[in-house]
C-alpha cells in the first residue's frame, strides 16, 4: 500500500494540536516551539503533495478510499486536483508565519486579570484549524467534507472570543463584550449556513444514493443519474448559501468585519486568508461539478451579488477609521472578484479566481501581519492615532506599503495577474459586469493610499516617536511573503501550470467553452 500522503498532511497538524495542548502551562515556550515545528513538518508534506501531483494526469490524484459509515454510504475518500493542491500549499505556507507572528499574542496577562489565557491552547487551536481546512480541500466525499467544513467553526470561535485583540479604545470590559459578540456572530452565521447545507447534503443522498463526488459526477456524465430541474436548483442553493456565508458574499458578509476587528492579527489572517478560502473553493468543487445546470441558471444573480460585494466592500473600506475593519472590507471586495471569476464560466475567469485565492491569501497576510505589528506597538487600531511612522520605523512602513500596493493589485505584484484574468474572463462573456467591476480597482487605490498617507506620512505624532522598527522575528514573517508577492507577480507560470488543467475540467463539467473573440487573430 502506498503511503497515505493526503491523510498524513492533515493528520500531522491534528496530532500536533493535541500534543501542543498537552504541554504544561508553565512551559509555554515549549508549546510555541512544538507548534512551529509541527507547522513546518506540515509544510514539508504539502510540498511533497505538490511535487507528486501531475497537472496533466488524472483529475483527482493521490486518492484514498476506505469504508467509514457503511450503513449510510459514507466513505473516507480523499483526492486532490490542481486547485486543491494550490490551496493546501497556501494553507501550509501561511500557518508557520501565523504562529511566528502570534508568538507573544497568548502570553499570560497581568496578575489579577480576568483574561487568563493558556498559551498552549492558542497554538493548538491554530493547528486544529489547519488540519480541518486541509481535510476540507482533500475530501471527495460530500459528507466527509461537510463534517470538517462545520467542525472548523469550533476552534475559530475560541480563537476569536478567547484570544482577541488587546488593543481597544474603550477598555477591557468593552473589549470583552465586543469579542464575545464577534465570536457568537461568526458562529451563528456559519452554523445557519451549515444547517441549510446539511439539508441539501441529505437531499443529494436521497436523489443520488451516494455521497461520493466522483461517483455522482460519473453517474451524471453517463446519464444514469437524472435530477429534476427544481430539485437540482434547490440543492444548489443549499450548498451555495453555506459557501457564500463562509466566503463571505454580500449580504451574508457582516460577520467578517467584527471577527477580524476583535481578533489578533494572526487570527484575522487565519480567517480571511485560510478559512474563508474553503467557501470559494467549494463553489468550484461542489456547486459547479454536482449541479452544472443550476450553476448556469443562478449565474446572473450571483454575478450581481459579486459585483455589489466588490463595490460595496471597497466603498466601506474607504470610510473606515479602524485599520482591521478597513482590511476586512477590502477582503469582502476581493472575494467579490473571486466569486465573479468563478461564475463568469470562462477559463480566464476561473484561473484568475483560483490564483486570486492564493495571491489574496499572501497579500492579506503581509498587510494584516504588518498592521498587527504596528498596532501592538501603539496599542490602538484607529488610523487617526498614527502619523509619520515611516520616519521612525522605515522598514515597517516599507513592508506595509508593499502589502498595501499588493492589495490594490499593482502591476508587478501577484494579485495584479489574478485580478486582470478575472476581469478579462468576465468581460468576454458579461462586458457590463466587467466594466462596472473595474471601479473596485479605483476604490482600492483610494483606500490603500489614504491608509498609508494617514498612518505613515506627515508629522511624527508623539505617541509613535519612539516606535521601534521591525525586529528579526517580525522580518522573518514578512520578508518571505513580500518575496512571494514579487515572484508570483513577475512569474506566475508555476501556479498557472498547476491550476489550468483543473479549471478546464471544471468548465467541461458545466458544459461551457470560452467565447470566441469577435476579431480573429491574423494568420
Amino acid at each position: 500500500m502506498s503511503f497515505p500522503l493526503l491523510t498524513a498532511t492533515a493528520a500531522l497538524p491534528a496530532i500536533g494540536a493535541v500534543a501542543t495542548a498537552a504541554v504544561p502551562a508553565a512551559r509555554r515556550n515549549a508549546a510555541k516551539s512544538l507548534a512551529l515545528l509541527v507547522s513546518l513538518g506540515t509544510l514539508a508534506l504539502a510540498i511533497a503533495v505538490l511535487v507528486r501531483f501531475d497537472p496533466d494526469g488524472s483529475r483527482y490524484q493521490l486518492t484514498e478510499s476506505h469504508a467509514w459509515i457503511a450503513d449510510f454510504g459514507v466513505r473516507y475518500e480523499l483526492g486532490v486536483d490542481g486547485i486543491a493542491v494550490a490551496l493546501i500549499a497556501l494553507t501550509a505556507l501561511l500557518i508557520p508565519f501565523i504562529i511566528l507572528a502570534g508568538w507573544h499574542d497568548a502570553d499570560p496577562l497581568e496578575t489579577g486579570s480576568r483574561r487568563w489565557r493558556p498559551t498552549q491552547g492558542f497554538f493548538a487551536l491554530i493547528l486544529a484549524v489547519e488540519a480541518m481546512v486541509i481535510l476540507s480541500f482533500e475530501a471527495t466525499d460530500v459528507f466527509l467534507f461537510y463534517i470538517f467544513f462545520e467542525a472548523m467553526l469550533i476552534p475559530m470561535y475560541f480563537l476569536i472570543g478567547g484570544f482577541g485583540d488587546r488593543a481597544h479604545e474603550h477598555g477591557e470590559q468593552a473589549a470583552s463584550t465586543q469579542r464575545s459578540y464577534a465570536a457568537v456572530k461568526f458562529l451563528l452565521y456559519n452554523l445557519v449556513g451549515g444547517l441549510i447545507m446539511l439539508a441539501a447534503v441529505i437531499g443529494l443522498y436521497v436523489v443520488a444514493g451516494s455521497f461520493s463526488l466522483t461517483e455522482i459526477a460519473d453517474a451524471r456524465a453517463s446519464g444514469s443519474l437524472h435530477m429534476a430541474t427544481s430539485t437540482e436548483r434547490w440543492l444548489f442553493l443549499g450548498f451555495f448559501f453555506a459557501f457564500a456565508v463562509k466566503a463571505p458574499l454580500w449580504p451574508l458578509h457582516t460577520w467578517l468585519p467584527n471577527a477580524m476587528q476583535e481578533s489578533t492579527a494572526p487570527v484575522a489572517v487565519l480567517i480571511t486568508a485560510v478559512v474563508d478560502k474553503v467557501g470559494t473553493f467549494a463553489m468550484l468543487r461542489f456547486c459547479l461539478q454536482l449541479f452544472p445546470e443550476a450553476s448556469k441558471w443562478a449565474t446572473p444573480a450571483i454575478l450581481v451579488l459579486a459585483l455589489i460585494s466588490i463595490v460595496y466592500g471597497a466603498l466601506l473600506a474607504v470610510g473606515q477609521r479602524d485599520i482591521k475593519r478597513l482590511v476586512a472590507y477590502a477582503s469582502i471586495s476581493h472575494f467579490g472578484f473571486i466569486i465573479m471569476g468563478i461564475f463568469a464560466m470562462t477559463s480566464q475567469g476561473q484561473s484568475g479566481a483560483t490564483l486570486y485565492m492564493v495571491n489574496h491569501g499572501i497579500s492579506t497576510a503581509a498587510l494584516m501581519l504588518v498592521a498587527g505589528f504596528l498596532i501592538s506597538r501603539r496599542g490602538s487600531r484607529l488610523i487617526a492615532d498614527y502619523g509619520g511612522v515611516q520616519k521612525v520605523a522605515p522598514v515597517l512602513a516599507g513592508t506595509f506599503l508593499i502589502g498595501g500596493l499588493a492589495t490594490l493589485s499593482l502591476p508587478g505584484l501577484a494579485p495584479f495577474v489574478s485580478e486582470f484574468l478575472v476581469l478579462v474572463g468576465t468581460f468576454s462573456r458579461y462586458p457590463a459586469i466587467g466594466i462596472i467591476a473595474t471601479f473596485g480597482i479605483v476604490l482600492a487605490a483610494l483606500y490603500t493610499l489614504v491608509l498609508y498617507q494617514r498612518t505613515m506620512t506627515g508629522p511624527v505624532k508623539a505617541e509613535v516617536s519612539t516606535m521601534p522598527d521591525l525586529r528579526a522575528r517580525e522580518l522573518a514573517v514578512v520578508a518571505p511573503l513580500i518575496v512571494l508577492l514579487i515572484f508570483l507577480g513577475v512569474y506566475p507560470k508555476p501556479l498557472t501550470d498547476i491550476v489550468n488543467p483543473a479549471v478546464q475540467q471544471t468548465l467541461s463539467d458545466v458544459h461551457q467553452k470560452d467565447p470566441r473573440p469577435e476579431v480573429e487573430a491574423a494568420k
Side-chain angles (χ1 to χ4, degrees):
M1 181 180 293
S2 61
F3 180 71
L5 186 55
L6 297 186
T7 294
T9 307
L12 180 57
I15 296 170
V18 175
T20 302
V23 174
R27 303 188 62 187
R28 62 177 183 272
N29 287 330
K32 297 175 185 179
S33 299
L34 176 60
L36 180 60
L37 185 62
V38 169
S39 69
L40 292 173
T42 305
L43 176 58
L45 289 174
I47 293 172
V49 171
L50 190 62
V51 170
R52 289 188 58 185
F53 181 78
D54 179 11
D56 298 320
S58 58
R59 180 168 195 169
Y60 293 111
Q61 299 178 33
L62 306 176
T63 56
E64 302 174 32
S65 182
H66 307 282
W68 184 23
I69 310 175
D71 291 343
F72 296 97
V74 180
R75 297 185 63 82
Y76 177 80
E77 284 191 352
L78 306 180
V80 289
D81 60 3
I83 299 169
V85 166
L87 293 173
I88 290 170
L90 170 70
T91 302
L93 173 71
L94 290 181
I95 295 299
F97 297 127
I98 288 171
I99 290 173
L100 268 179
W103 201 253
H104 298 297
D105 285 355
D107 285 349
L109 302 177
E110 62 275 6
T111 304
S113 171
R114 290 180 297 174
R115 289 179 58 215
W116 180 81
R117 306 182 295 186
T119 300
Q120 69 274 30
F122 178 75
F123 295 99
L125 290 170
I126 291 175
L127 291 175
V129 172
E130 180 182 22
M132 294 174 188
V133 169
I134 289 175
L135 273 170
S136 297
F137 291 143
E138 295 174 344
T140 55
D141 182 280
V142 178
F143 192 80
L144 181 68
F145 168 83
Y146 172 79
I147 288 174
F148 293 106
F149 180 81
E150 286 293 277
M152 69 180 71
L153 301 180
I154 300 170
M156 285 307 308
Y157 169 80
F158 288 109
L159 283 170
I160 297 169
F163 298 90
D165 193 357
R166 301 180 185 184
H168 200 285
E169 57 186 308
H170 299 302
E172 169 63 24
Q173 185 173 358
S176 179
T177 301
Q178 290 297 320
R179 282 194 301 273
S180 298
Y181 172 77
V184 170
K185 188 173 184 179
F186 162 82
L187 188 63
L188 289 179
Y189 266 67
N190 284 275
L191 276 179
V192 169
L195 289 173
I196 292 174
M197 180 183 169
L198 177 60
V201 168
I202 295 171
L204 177 67
Y205 181 75
V206 170
V207 172
S210 174
F211 288 116
S212 172
L213 176 66
T214 53
E215 287 182 8
I216 297 172
D218 290 344
R220 296 209 62 161
S222 65
S224 60
L225 172 62
H226 299 280
M227 286 189 195
T229 299
S230 59
T231 301
E232 181 174 344
R233 290 178 179 178
W234 279 112
L235 293 177
F236 168 86
L237 290 174
F239 277 76
F240 180 79
F241 182 86
F243 303 152
V245 172
K246 184 84 77 179
L249 178 68
W250 184 92
L252 306 171
H253 67 284
T254 59
W255 63 266
L256 182 64
N258 297 100
M260 288 186 67
Q261 175 182 325
E262 299 304 327
S263 300
T264 63
V267 172
V269 171
L270 189 64
I271 294 170
T272 191
V274 177
V275 171
D276 288 354
K277 299 299 186 299
V278 177
T280 47
F281 163 79
M283 292 178 190
L284 279 166
R285 172 167 281 192
F286 295 101
C287 286
L288 270 60
Q289 190 171 345
L290 291 174
F291 315 110
E293 297 305 319
S295 297
K296 290 188 285 187
W297 161 76
T299 287
I302 293 172
L303 287 177
V304 170
L305 294 177
L307 186 60
I308 294 173
S309 287
I310 291 169
V311 178
Y312 171 86
L315 281 173
L316 264 65
V318 171
Q320 291 304 308
R321 300 185 305 119
D322 184 298
I323 297 174
K324 288 185 177 180
R325 288 185 73 88
L326 186 151
V327 178
Y329 280 110
S331 291
I332 291 168
S333 181
H334 295 149
F335 276 106
F337 277 108
I338 294 171
I339 295 170
M340 185 176 74
I342 292 171
F343 285 91
M345 302 293 185
T346 60
S347 59
Q348 299 97 330
Q350 292 189 355
S351 292
T354 304
L355 291 178
Y356 217 135
M357 291 185 225
V358 176
N359 294 334
H360 171 264
I362 299 170
S363 63
T364 298
L367 179 62
M368 179 58 82
L369 292 178
V370 177
F373 299 148
L374 180 71
I375 292 168
S376 67
R377 285 159 165 74
R378 173 67 178 83
S380 173
R381 301 190 301 253
L382 298 180
I383 296 172
D385 288 341
Y386 297 88
V389 174
Q390 68 180 12
K391 296 177 182 177
V392 296
V395 177
L396 188 154
T399 53
F400 190 80
L401 177 62
I402 295 174
L405 293 177
T407 297
L408 64 82
S409 300
L410 183 77
L413 296 175
F416 169 76
V417 181
S418 317
E419 203 162 275
F420 178 78
L421 286 172
V422 166
L423 289 172
V424 168
T426 304
F427 184 84
S428 64
R429 196 181 291 276
Y430 303 97
I433 297 289
I435 291 171
I436 298 172
T438 57
F439 285 101
I441 302 175
V442 178
L443 293 170
L446 179 60
Y447 62 69
T448 300
L449 296 178
V450 168
L451 172 64
Y452 184 84
Q453 179 190 34
R454 292 178 177 175
T455 55
M456 302 295 163
T457 66
V460 179
K461 291 199 172 184
E463 295 82 359
V464 303
S465 59
T466 58
M467 180 178 290
D469 213 335
L470 291 183
R471 302 178 179 91
R473 172 181 60 85
E474 296 165 336
L475 274 174
V477 170
V478 177
L481 298 176
I482 299 297
V483 171
L484 272 175
L485 287 174
I486 297 171
F487 175 77
L488 292 176
V490 175
Y491 189 64
K493 188 175 183 296
L495 198 52
T496 57
D497 286 346
I498 293 172
V499 305
N500 282 347
V503 165
Q504 292 296 337
Q505 290 173 325
T506 302
L507 277 179
S508 69
D509 291 335
V510 290
H511 312 293
Q512 291 279 26
K513 295 181 179 179
D514 289 330
R516 295 186 62 179
E518 295 183 7
V519 179
E520 296 291 341
K523 296 183 180 179

